[in-house]
């Protein structure tokens, strides 16, 4: 029998945390609850969650800092929970490495659907990059993006990135020199259920550029007024 996927719930409101846990246990997930940022960082190595639900307004170390610390060493999916619905807060969370952002109060069915969507993209993804690419991948000089095992190798080194960043890079690199609008990228990568806006695409492109070294043969290019493309230089 396959083991249950594990979700770490980080929320200082005990009632909300328990309610979330009940929703997820009903869907056959294993959960653990902590109520502050420091406890989240301490619990993470031993629990090894498949996904983290992270409230932003935490005592002591806030959710933004927790996300920042976790992203130094891991690409575990993180869904941020917050009563802050402003675009600035969403963009900041995404820039720090969150995979999704849910505004409180939320519907239980939406929460479960978001969790399932993120886990669906990552449940079959081994963390290690394969030196000899196999399966579904694209390859360019000094770059291999493998969608089968969710790995990226650039300039001979493994590059850690959350699933959405990798999927965006793979999608663009699969159609070299083709321009995609932000709306097209949102539809292809995030799907019609996603409630975010086109700034999400800009944030993920920015994070990809920070992680990939400049290369004389290819680059992520902005087509002003339209969108983005993976430019292959002839």
């Amino acid at each position: 029998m396959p083991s249950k996927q594990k979700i770490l719930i980080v929320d200082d409101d005990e009632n909300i945390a328990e309610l979330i846990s009940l929703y997820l246990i009903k869907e056959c997930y294993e959960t653990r609850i902590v109520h502050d940022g420091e406890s989240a960082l301490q619990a993470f190595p031993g629990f090894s969650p498949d996904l983290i639900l992270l409230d932003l307004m935490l005592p002591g170390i806030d959710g933004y800092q927790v996300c920042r610390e976790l992203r130094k060493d891991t690409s575990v999916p993180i869904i941020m929970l917050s009563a802050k619905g402003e675009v600035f807060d969403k963009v900041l969370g995404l820039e720090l490495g969150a995979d999704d952002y849910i505004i409180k109060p939320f519907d239980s069915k939406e929460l479960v659907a978001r969790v399932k969507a993120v886990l669906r993209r990552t449940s079959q993804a081994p963390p290690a990059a394969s030196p000899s690419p196999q399966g579904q991948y694209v390859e360019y000089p000094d770059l291999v993006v493998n969608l089968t095992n969710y790995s990226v190798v650039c300039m001979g080194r493994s590059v850690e990135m959350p699933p959405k960043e990798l999927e965006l890079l793979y999608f663009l690199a699969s159609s070299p020199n083709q321009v995609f609008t932000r709306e097209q990228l949102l539809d292809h990568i995030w799907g019609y259920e996603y409630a975010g806006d086109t700034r999400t695409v800009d944030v993920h492109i920015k994070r990809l550029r920070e992680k990939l070294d400049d290369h004389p043969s290819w680059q992520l290019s902005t087509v002003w007024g339209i969108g983005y493309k993976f430019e292959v230089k002839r």
Side-chain angles (χ1 to χ4, degrees), residues 88-108:
F88 170 81
D89 298 299
K90 294 180 183 178
V91 170
L92 178 58
L94 292 169
E95 285 182 335
L96 291 176
D99 295 272
D100 205 347
Y101 191 106
I102 300 178
I103 300 171
K104 295 180 177 179
F106 46 78
D107 180 81
S108 61

Side-chain angles (χ1 to χ4, degrees), residues 67-161:
C67 184
R68 187 180 290 112
E69 291 297 319
L70 288 171
R71 278 290 172 260
K72 292 178 181 179
D73 303 306
T74 178
S75 59
V76 64
I78 297 173
I79 298 179
M80 287 185 168
L81 308 175
S82 177
K84 296 181 176 181
E86 290 79 7
V87 171
F88 170 81
D89 298 299
K90 294 180 183 178
V91 170
L92 178 58
L94 292 169
E95 285 182 335
L96 291 176
D99 295 272
D100 205 347
Y101 191 106
I102 300 178
I103 300 171
K104 295 180 177 179
F106 46 78
D107 180 81
S108 61
K109 292 181 180 179
E110 179 188 2
L111 174 67
V112 171
R114 297 279 191 100
V115 167
K116 287 182 176 180
V118 172
L119 287 174
R120 203 162 42 236
R121 297 190 300 265
T122 60
S123 59
Q124 302 300 319
S130 170
S132 300
Q134 297 179 350
Q136 194 175 1
Y137 69 93
V138 290
E139 185 171 7
Y140 294 95
D142 298 315
L143 178 69
V144 178
V145 185
N146 194 318
L147 194 64
T148 299
N149 66 6
Y150 273 71
S151 66
V152 176
V153 177
C154 182
M155 301 292 195
R157 61 182 178 86
S158 178
V159 182
E160 289 290 330
M161 58 180 64

Side-chain angles (χ1 to χ4, degrees), residues 168 182 185-186 190 197-205 228:
L168 177 59
R182 292 169 176 82
L185 293 172
L186 269 179
W190 281 266
D197 56 35
T198 55
R199 288 286 300 277
T200 300
V201 176
D202 298 335
V203 169
H204 281 70
I205 291 289
Y228 298 100

